[in-house]
Amino acid sequence: MHRGKGMKFVGDSRITAEQKANLPKDYSEYPGRTEAFWPNFLLKEWLVGSVFLIGFLILTAAHPSPLEQQADPTNAGYIPLPDWYFLFLYQFLKYQYAGGDFIVFGAIIAPTIAFGALLLAPFLDRGPERRPHKRPIAVGLMMLGFIATFWLTYESVSEVDYAERDEQYGVSIEAEETEIDTEAAGYEIYENNCASCHGGNLEGTGSYPSLLDTQLPADQIKDIAQNGIGEMPSGIFEGSDEELEDLAAFVTNPTGEEEDGEGEGSEEEGSEEEGSEEE
């Protein structure tokens, strides 16, 4: 452009003679690129992403994931499950040539190849076409990964009895709401002998049952503490007979509240005493 042509001089600055609106460039002559990335295309992506995010949040609020108790390293009977987005890999490791002696292949080599293929898909198929049948490599790798992930996740979920896991490992809401009498004589004895398996609030941990509302007599509790029952071995309790009495009394009544029968009995005794005084 020649000096001064189409320009207006204002002092030491140069201002164009015609002011043009700040409009995006016209990409109509390039097929598949008919709108500007910002803000047209990106705004649509944000709107679609927001819809999916809101839907996902509603789904998680309506159907929350099951909450289990804290992992106990001393409980060998507990079978942990990974989060839902790792269930496909968890199921893959169950197969013969992906676990056991082939654990390195199943846990490292195979996932590296699978995710590496998905990462390399845009570089392996660099064609300008947007139709799926015109991009067989990228679409094929994506469909293969989706089908494999969906099927392995479905297989993993179908093999788990979540109702049974909730009964064995679920968090006890009753235990959280129950106030334990920590001032009782048997509480410290319980902590030293039983809390590691049955929890600090008697709520139970892992496959070990809750001791709240056991409805077992004190003599049976003392027998179980000394001789064990089921998976519980004998010889767990090593205290004195007096400590055993305190432990049984605490387990039968961990809240320290008086039972209804005892309260009624005391009221009857009080009324009898009042009647004798009146006589």
Side-chain angles (χ1 to χ4, degrees):
M1 183 174 66
H2 297 288
R3 179 180 177 83
K5 185 177 181 181
M7 307 290 290
K8 291 183 178 179
F9 295 92
V10 180
D12 294 335
S13 303
R14 294 185 176 184
I15 304 176
T16 56
E18 299 178 0
Q19 292 290 338
K20 296 182 180 180
N22 187 19
L23 299 176
K25 296 180 181 180
D26 183 16
Y27 294 99
S28 58
E29 56 182 294
Y30 301 99
R33 301 179 181 178
T34 57
E35 61 180 347
F37 177 78
W38 170 264
N40 302 27
F41 179 78
L42 193 58
L43 182 60
K44 294 178 182 179
E45 293 289 312
W46 283 349
L47 290 176
V48 173
S50 300
V51 171
F52 275 93
L53 177 60
I54 294 173
F56 183 75
L57 293 176
I58 294 175
L59 179 63
T60 55
H63 301 281
S65 59
L67 180 62
E68 296 183 354
Q69 298 176 1
Q70 293 183 354
D72 183 7
T74 63
N75 183 14
Y78 176 73
I79 302 176
L81 283 179
D83 292 323
W84 62 269
Y85 43 82
F86 279 132
L87 282 176
F88 73 96
L89 185 57
Y90 174 75
Q91 179 66 22
F92 180 70
L93 294 176
K94 295 180 182 179
Y95 297 131
Q96 179 179 359
Y97 296 103
D101 296 335
F102 304 93
I103 189 64
V104 176
F105 172 78
I108 300 177
I109 299 177
T112 302
I113 294 175
F115 287 106
L118 293 177
L119 291 174
L120 293 176
F123 302 97
L124 297 176
D125 190 351
R126 302 175 61 182
E129 293 290 340
R130 303 183 66 179
R131 300 175 182 177
H133 65 276
K134 292 293 185 70
R135 306 193 65 177
I137 298 179
V139 175
L141 291 175
M142 184 60 66
M143 291 300 297
L144 180 62
F146 174 78
I147 294 173
T149 302
F150 179 84
W151 175 253
L152 291 174
T153 302
Y154 173 79
E155 284 289 311
S156 179
V157 171
S158 62
E159 293 180 1
V160 178
D161 189 349
Y162 284 96
E164 182 180 357
R165 288 188 63 88
D166 182 64
E167 183 178 352
Q168 291 184 355
Y169 312 125
V171 174
S172 177
I173 300 177
E174 181 183 6
E176 293 180 350
E177 296 177 351
T178 303
E179 294 183 1
I180 304 300
D181 184 12
T182 57
E183 302 297 330
Y187 176 74
E188 185 177 355
I189 303 172
Y190 170 83
E191 274 194 324
N192 297 332
N193 295 272
C194 313
S196 60
C197 296
H198 296 282
N201 292 328
L202 290 81
E203 74 277 13
T205 59
S207 59
Y208 301 109
S210 171
L211 298 181
L212 292 169
D213 298 332
T214 57
Q215 298 181 354
L216 295 177
D219 293 337
Q220 188 173 353
I221 293 175
K222 289 189 289 185
D223 180 69
I224 294 174
Q226 289 180 321
N227 303 319
I229 184 174
E231 298 180 357
M232 178 180 173
S234 60
I236 296 296
F237 180 79
E238 299 178 350
S240 62
D241 294 340
E242 183 180 354
E243 291 176 341
L244 185 60
E245 290 284 348
D246 294 337
L247 175 64
F250 172 73
V251 174
T252 54
N253 186 18
T255 59
E257 298 177 356
E258 294 183 358
E259 297 181 356
D260 295 338
E262 294 179 356
E264 293 177 358
S266 60
E267 290 178 359
E268 292 177 357
E269 292 176 358
S271 61
E272 291 178 357
E273 292 177 357
E274 290 178 358
S276 61
E277 289 177 359
E278 291 177 357
E279 292 177 356

